[in-house]
Amino acid sequence: MSDKLKIGISIGDVNGIGLEIIIKTLADSKIYDYCTPIVYGHTKVASFHRRATHVNELNFLVINDPSQTHFRKPNMINCWEEDVKIELGQVTEAGGKYAFKSLERAVYDLKEGYIDALVTAPINKDNIQSEQFNFPGHTEYLQQYDGAAESLMFLVSDTLRVGVVTGHIPVSKIAESITAEKILAKLKLMNSSLQNDFWVRKPKIAVLGLNPHAGDNGLIGNEEKDIIIPAIEEARSNNILAFGPYSADGFFANGTYLQFDAVLAMYHDQGLIPFKQIAFESGVNFTAGLNFVRTSPDHGTAYDIAGKNQASEISFREALFTAIHIVKNRREGLELNENPLLFSKLSRDRD
């Protein structure tokens, strides 16, 4: 039993649906056949949400650190001592404060190797801001914590994988933020992730244009000719099968995305709107390019339904299984490459 992966879970905003979808997921006993979950939060807060979800049979076992993990049970590490005022559906200072306390402890254990992967429940990107967390979102925080030069927001599902060149930045800053070097860096990350995390041997990647109709040969903008196409050509010279640029509207509308292993969008909404339309319930947000594995559901705090027992746990459950899948793929890949068979040329003189 001890070889089960330990998956850390941060609870997100205590006033959102994070704990509801966590509790609903962990109430399924089949989960423990695949991993041992460790939730970073507090049992009192969890009990409050458990009553709202009517999952009375789920009891968290309190531990001090991952070395004390109980297998086939939901584990909880209490990340603070004081009582927390919960105001479901409200944006409060406490919501951000305790979301960060949960995240901070979970990420520390992840970086130290005490847990095998991290699944993050949704935060509010506004109320979590502080001296300790001054980032647009999880992705940027985790990239800095890992010390990675680059990372990729990678939305994945069974039918569609979408990454973005620019993430959480204002629309007015998108065009000036897109460079050939940045596109190439994202393509390299995406290609590597597809090979190592998802075991796609020779990935085919579609690249979207920035402008309507992919610029119409310069009629509606020059970014495609001056930046995106040179980046695609450079990627192909690096043995990356990148194609495009494609006009985003027709690309998704006519199902062209089904011909590719992944899609690189130029900005957040260009990629995430079609992704959520196509794979909202089953979609997962994966931060590619880091030394550790982090996933999350592809939705937010959903304050409007918090505490109403209406939130679907499907995306969170998919995030949990995706994290397990990627960790196992990475480890098996390392094992296979540790002692590769030596290549020997066959002689024509064989009997």
Side-chain angles (χ1 to χ4, degrees):
M1 298 300 297
S2 61
D3 63 349
K4 291 283 191 304
L5 295 181
K6 295 178 181 179
I7 307 298
I9 299 171
S10 62
I11 63 172
D13 193 312
V14 297
N15 295 320
I17 64 168
L19 271 163
E20 177 179 337
I21 58 177
I22 291 168
I23 290 166
K24 287 179 176 179
T25 298
L26 300 187
D28 183 353
S29 61
K30 294 179 182 178
I31 293 293
Y32 308 97
D33 293 336
Y34 302 95
C35 72
T36 299
I38 304 172
V39 180
Y40 291 79
H42 199 283
T43 48
K44 287 185 178 179
V45 178
S47 295
F48 182 96
H49 283 269
R50 189 184 61 192
R51 287 193 294 271
T53 58
H54 308 299
V55 181
N56 299 318
E57 66 277 9
L58 184 73
N59 293 304
F60 287 98
L61 299 174
V62 179
I63 60 175
N64 294 318
D65 61 70
S67 68
Q68 301 175 346
T69 304
H70 297 268
F71 301 99
R72 297 203 67 83
K73 298 288 184 180
N75 299 268
M76 174 78 72
I77 292 178
N78 287 335
C79 298
W80 57 83
E81 296 299 328
E82 65 274 19
D83 290 335
V84 177
K85 183 179 181 181
I86 300 175
E87 300 176 74
L88 292 174
Q90 301 300 311
V91 180
T92 68
E93 181 181 347
K97 176 182 177 180
Y98 294 101
F100 179 68
K101 282 182 176 288
S102 168
L103 179 65
E104 183 181 39
R105 174 67 190 276
V107 172
Y108 174 81
D109 284 354
L110 178 66
K111 184 74 180 294
E112 293 299 312
Y114 301 146
I115 56 178
D116 299 298
L118 172 65
V119 183
T120 59
I123 59 171
N124 180 310
K125 296 177 179 61
D126 182 25
N127 69 4
I128 198 174
Q129 298 299 317
S130 66
E131 291 183 3
Q132 294 78 31
F133 190 100
N134 186 20
F135 301 92
H138 277 116
T139 303
E140 296 80 5
Y141 172 74
L142 292 165
Q143 178 182 330
Q144 178 167 303
Y145 201 99
D146 188 47
E150 193 68 75
S151 66
L152 176 71
M153 184 189 298
F154 206 6
L155 282 295
V156 300
S157 73
D158 289 340
T159 56
L160 176 62
R161 302 184 187 98
V162 176
V164 294
V165 176
T166 60
H168 299 117
I169 65 171
V171 173
S172 60
K173 303 289 185 182
I174 292 172
E176 66 188 58
S177 300
I178 291 174
T179 64
E181 293 75 19
K182 194 169 187 67
I183 294 171
L184 180 61
K186 298 294 186 180
L187 282 170
K188 287 180 177 179
L189 270 182
M190 180 177 281
N191 189 69
S192 176
S193 179
L194 288 167
Q195 291 176 328
N196 299 318
D197 300 329
F198 298 95
W199 281 28
V200 180
R201 185 175 181 185
K202 198 67 178 174
K204 286 177 59 181
I205 300 172
V207 181
L208 302 182
L210 172 65
N211 298 294
H213 302 180
D216 265 348
N217 294 317
L219 184 66
I220 318 177
N222 295 312
E223 285 83 2
E224 283 75 17
K225 292 198 303 181
D226 297 342
I227 299 172
I228 300 175
I229 291 174
I232 293 173
E233 291 173 348
E234 181 66 20
R236 291 178 72 88
S237 71
N238 282 271
N239 295 316
I240 297 173
L241 296 181
F243 302 87
Y246 295 94
S247 178
D249 56 352
F251 180 83
F252 289 106
N254 61 24
T256 305
Y257 67 90
L258 295 170
Q259 301 172 22
F260 295 91
D261 297 298
V263 182
L264 184 65
M266 291 297 110
Y267 57 94
H268 184 280
D269 283 13
Q270 184 188 53
L272 269 68
I273 289 175
F275 180 86
K276 291 188 177 185
Q277 181 66 32
I278 293 167
F280 182 67
E281 280 210 329
S282 61
V284 174
N285 182 4
F286 165 52
T287 307
L290 304 182
N291 290 308
F292 47 71
V293 174
R294 173 261 173 168
T295 63
S296 74
D298 69 346
H299 57 72
T301 54
Y303 289 130
D304 57 321
I305 60 172
K308 298 179 181 179
N309 199 22
Q310 296 176 5
S312 170
E313 73 277 17
I314 294 176
S315 181
F316 187 88
R317 185 172 62 236
E318 289 297 320
L320 183 66
F321 282 117
T322 298
I324 296 168
H325 182 69
I326 292 172
V327 170
K328 289 186 175 182
N329 279 354
R330 286 187 180 185
R331 291 182 179 179
E332 190 170 345
L334 287 173
E335 290 176 5
L336 291 172
N337 290 316
E338 274 184 353
N339 297 298
L341 294 173
L342 295 176
F343 174 78
S344 59
K345 191 173 182 179
L346 295 175
S347 170
R348 291 179 177 271
D349 300 326
R350 290 181 302 159
D351 290 332

